Amino acid sequence: MSGRDIHVYAPSNLAPKSPLLISCHGMDQDPNYQQSNTHWEAVADTAGFVVVYPRGGTGMSTWDISGDKDTKWVVQIIEQMVKEGDADNNLDRLFVQI
């Protein structure tokens, strides 16, 4: 993709075309912080979905709120997860947690 960090968690028993949750960190945080504080893995194991923790792209661990750079980045993530077969391309099964 664009060379930016993402952390992906997929349960070992994940069915193909599962729901996708994108969990975005807050200002001055990062994917590691978000992952260690949300604990989505426990829910994903039970409910059977993929979790992606992307990194904000402004250089200061924040999100591009005045442009579309990060919106495009999230779309790339969704497209990649669908292409790899882990996530469903049905937007009714996509969740973004900010």
Side-chain angles (χ1 to χ4, degrees):
M1 289 189 279
S2 71
R4 289 167 57 182
D5 291 348
I6 62 169
H7 295 193
V8 178
Y9 179 79
S12 60
N13 61 345
L14 186 69
K17 305 294 181 190
S18 295
L20 173 63
L21 180 128
I22 299 174
S23 184
C24 300
H25 63 76
M27 184 172 177
D28 294 331
Q29 297 169 352
D30 61 24
N32 291 327
Y33 180 88
Q34 186 72 4
Q35 186 173 11
S36 68
N37 283 282
T38 60
H39 307 286
W40 279 115
E41 291 81 1
V43 181
D45 285 339
T46 304
F49 60 85
V50 178
V51 184
V52 174
Y53 302 93
R55 178 181 302 276
T58 64
M60 298 179 65
S61 295
T62 57
W63 299 96
D64 178 17
I65 59 172
S66 62
D68 64 355
K69 183 170 107 176
D70 286 330
T71 303
K72 289 178 180 179
W73 168 231
V74 170
V75 169
Q76 283 183 327
I77 292 169
I78 295 166
E79 290 171 347
Q80 186 66 33
M81 294 294 105
V82 169
K83 180 180 173 184
E84 292 176 5
D86 291 334
D88 191 341
N89 64 355
N90 181 346
L91 292 181
D92 292 338
R93 294 168 53 96
L94 167 69
F95 306 94
V96 178
Q97 182 258 325
I98 301 173

